[in-house]
Amino acid sequence: MYTFGITRKKKDKKVKKKKVIIDCDPGIDDSLALMLALSMEELEVLGITVVCGNSPVEMGVGNAKKVLQFMDRLDVPVFAGAAAPLRREFVNALDTHGRDGLGESFLPDVKGYDQEMEAEEFLARTIKEESCSVIALGPLTNLARLLRKDPESFGQMEELVSMGGSFKSHGNCSPVAEYNYWADPDSAAVVYEAMGKSGKKMVMTGLDVTRKIVLTPDLLEYMKRLDSRTGGFVERITRFYFDFHWMQEHLIGCVINDPLAVAYFADRSLCSGFESHVQIETEGISKGQTLVDSMNFYGKTPNALVLTQTDPLRFFQMFYGKILKRTAESLDLLPCLVRR
Ligand code: RIB
Ligand code: CA
C-alpha cells in the first residue's frame, strides 16, 4: 500500500545556540566559567564585559584576554566596564585571586584586541539587537549602569543569571554577605528591584549551591591525566586558590563558584530552588546580605529564582565533558569528589 508523505530530508540535529553576554571580574573562578562557556556548542558568547571586583577592571580585561588566548577564542570581544562600585569605595579580592587576579600565574599579557566601546554601551546595543541573556559573575555594577543608561534594553534581556548572594549559607565577606553583592550592594539592590518591576526573575546562583562545587586535588590530577594542556592551565591558575582555601577554612581544594552559573544557564536540571522576593541590604554591618523572603512575610511579588540544590557530580561531568571534549560516560569522577 502506498503511503503518501513528505519525504523529509533528515534534519541535521542543529543545536539552537543560546546567545549570551558574560559579565565578569576575572578572577580565577570567572576564568573557569569562561572556559566552560566557550566550550559549549549550545552557547554563543557574543561578548565579555568586565567589571571591577576580584581584580581592578583593566586587570580583569587583561585576564579575560589571557583566557581567550588559551582557548584560541580571541574572536570574542572584551569590553571594559565599571572601575568602581555605584556608591562605595572599590574593594578588590586580590587576596583571594593573587596579585595578578589569576592565581599569580603571571601569564604574558595579550597585546591588542582592545575595544573602544564601554561595557554598558555594548550591553545596551547587543541586548536590543539580539535576543540574548546575561550571565553576571561579578558585582552588578555594569548591570546597574545599563539600567541607568538604557532601562528599555535592560528590560529586553532574555534572562539574567547572577552568581551572588546567599540564602542560608554563611557569607564569605561578612557573616551574612557574599562578595559580589557585598562589594557593590547598591547595584545589586537596584538590579533586583528592577527585575521585580519588569516582572522578571533574577536567577540567584548563590553560595548555597556554589559552595558544593569544590575542585579537589584529585579532580585536578585527573584533569591533568586526561589532558595535560588544559589540566596544566587550570592547575597554574588555581594553585594560589587552593592555598587560600586551606588558610581560610582548612579546605583541601577550592570552591569554584562561577562555572555553576554558566552550567545552570545551559542545563536547568542541574539545580533546583524556589521563587521568592529578594532584597539586598545596602547599609550597616549586614550590607550586601540577600534578604530572601522564603516565607513571604512581606507579601511582595517574587523577583528571583533562588537556587538551593545542585548535583556536584553532574556539574563536574558537564564541566570536564565540555572543556576536555569527552563524554560523561568516559569520565570516572565520583572517586575524586568531596562530600559537602
Ligand atoms: O563570592 C564569590 C564570587 O565573588 C565569585 O564570583 C568570585 O569570582 C567573586 O567575584
Ligand atoms: Ca566572579
Side-chain angles (χ1 to χ4, degrees), residues 196 199 201 276-278 296 298-304:
K201 291 181 186 63
S276 173
H277 186 267
V278 175
N296 198 19
Y298 297 140
K300 290 186 177 178
T301 309
N303 60 347

Side-chain angles (χ1 to χ4, degrees), residues 25-30 53-54 93 97 136-139 163-165 172-173 178-181 207 210 241 257-258:
D25 59 334
I28 295 167
D29 56 333
D30 301 73
N54 292 322
H97 293 262
L137 304 174
M163 190 280 133
N172 60 12
C173 272
E178 173 281 324
Y179 173 77
N180 286 334
Y181 297 176
L207 294 174
T210 66
Y241 208 34
N257 302 283
D258 292 335

Side-chain angles (χ1 to χ4, degrees), residues 229-247:
R229 177 177 182 269
T230 303
F233 181 81
V234 171
E235 178 174 54
R236 194 163 171 190
I237 68 171
T238 58
R239 177 55 52 210
F240 185 94
Y241 208 34
F242 273 74
D243 295 342
F244 172 82
H245 279 79
W246 171 253
M247 288 182 297

Side-chain angles (χ1 to χ4, degrees), residues 98-152:
R99 286 166 291 167
D100 64 347
L102 213 45
E104 300 198 352
S105 51
F106 298 118
L107 295 167
D109 290 337
V110 176
K111 301 270 180 265
Y113 301 95
D114 298 322
Q115 300 291 337
E116 285 303 310
M117 192 185 294
E118 290 213 336
E120 60 259 33
E121 179 63 25
F122 171 75
L123 284 161
R125 287 192 195 183
T126 310
I127 291 166
K128 274 188 180 147
E129 287 159 17
E130 319 257 359
S131 57
C132 74
S133 297
V134 176
I135 302 176
L137 304 174
L140 294 174
T141 319
N142 286 344
L143 278 300
R145 284 165 55 146
L146 169 67
L147 176 62
R148 190 171 51 186
K149 168 193 176 64
D150 191 334
E152 189 198 339

Side-chain angles (χ1 to χ4, degrees), residues 31-333:
S31 301
L32 299 176
L34 291 176
M35 291 174 71
L36 175 58
L38 294 165
S39 305
M40 292 180 132
E41 67 283 352
E42 55 269 56
L43 298 187
E44 182 182 353
V45 180
L46 300 174
I48 295 168
T49 51
V50 179
V51 63
C52 62
N54 292 322
S55 310
V57 66
E58 286 313 324
M59 183 188 283
V61 169
N63 288 340
K65 291 197 291 184
K66 290 175 184 177
V67 175
L68 291 176
Q69 182 169 62
F70 175 76
M71 299 297 286
D72 194 20
R73 290 298 310 276
L74 281 163
D75 58 292
V76 178
V78 183
F79 301 87
L86 218 51
R87 228 165 34 102
R88 295 180 176 277
E89 284 291 302
F90 170 43
V91 178
N92 67 46
L94 293 178
D95 63 331
T96 309
H97 293 262
R99 286 166 291 167
D100 64 347
L102 213 45
E104 300 198 352
S105 51
F106 298 118
L107 295 167
D109 290 337
V110 176
K111 301 270 180 265
Y113 301 95
D114 298 322
Q115 300 291 337
E116 285 303 310
M117 192 185 294
E118 290 213 336
E120 60 259 33
E121 179 63 25
F122 171 75
L123 284 161
R125 287 192 195 183
T126 310
I127 291 166
K128 274 188 180 147
E129 287 159 17
E130 319 257 359
S131 57
C132 74
S133 297
V134 176
I135 302 176
L137 304 174
L140 294 174
T141 319
N142 286 344
L143 278 300
R145 284 165 55 146
L146 169 67
L147 176 62
R148 190 171 51 186
K149 168 193 176 64
D150 191 334
E152 189 198 339
S153 75
F154 182 93
Q156 288 173 349
M157 261 185 295
E158 281 293 298
E159 265 197 300
L160 179 52
V161 178
S162 164
M163 190 280 133
S166 179
F167 171 42
K168 289 194 168 171
S169 188
H170 61 276
N172 60 12
C173 272
S174 82
V176 293
E178 173 281 324
Y179 173 77
N180 286 334
Y181 297 176
W182 174 86
D184 189 350
D186 305 288
S187 290
V190 294
V191 168
Y192 270 78
E193 192 182 353
M195 292 300 279
K197 282 190 181 139
S198 63
K200 295 186 180 216
K201 291 181 186 63
M202 170 74 89
V203 178
M204 182 178 128
T205 316
L207 294 174
D208 308 276
V209 285
T210 66
R211 273 208 165 98
K212 297 189 171 89
I213 308 299
V214 179
L215 182 69
T216 65
D218 280 357
L219 278 168
L220 185 54
E221 193 57 35
Y222 186 46
M223 186 189 287
K224 283 162 56 182
R225 299 290 175 191
L226 294 177
D227 178 331
S228 56
R229 177 177 182 269
T230 303
F233 181 81
V234 171
E235 178 174 54
R236 194 163 171 190
I237 68 171
T238 58
R239 177 55 52 210
F240 185 94
Y241 208 34
F242 273 74
D243 295 342
F244 172 82
H245 279 79
W246 171 253
M247 288 182 297
Q248 191 74 6
E249 49 185 297
H250 270 201
L251 174 70
I252 302 282
C254 58
V255 174
I256 53 171
N257 302 283
D258 292 335
L260 184 63
V262 171
Y264 177 76
F265 179 72
D267 179 353
R268 302 299 150 109
S269 70
L270 259 183
C271 301
S272 62
F274 62 91
E275 293 185 350
S276 173
H277 186 267
V278 175
Q279 198 163 331
I280 285 81
E281 178 55 78
T282 58
E283 303 295 337
I285 58 169
S286 53
K287 75 157 186 164
Q289 181 178 14
T290 37
L291 201 88
V292 178
D293 188 5
S294 58
M295 305 294 284
N296 198 19
F297 287 110
Y298 297 140
K300 290 186 177 178
T301 309
N303 60 347
L305 169 63
V306 178
L307 301 182
T308 54
Q309 300 297 327
T310 189
D311 179 343
L313 175 61
R314 285 198 55 228
F315 165 80
F316 279 105
Q317 282 172 337
M318 175 199 276
F319 185 49
Y320 275 48
K322 296 296 182 188
I323 68 170
L324 304 179
K325 296 182 179 34
R326 288 172 176 262
T327 62
E329 298 69 41
S330 69
L331 295 166
D332 182 19
L333 289 158

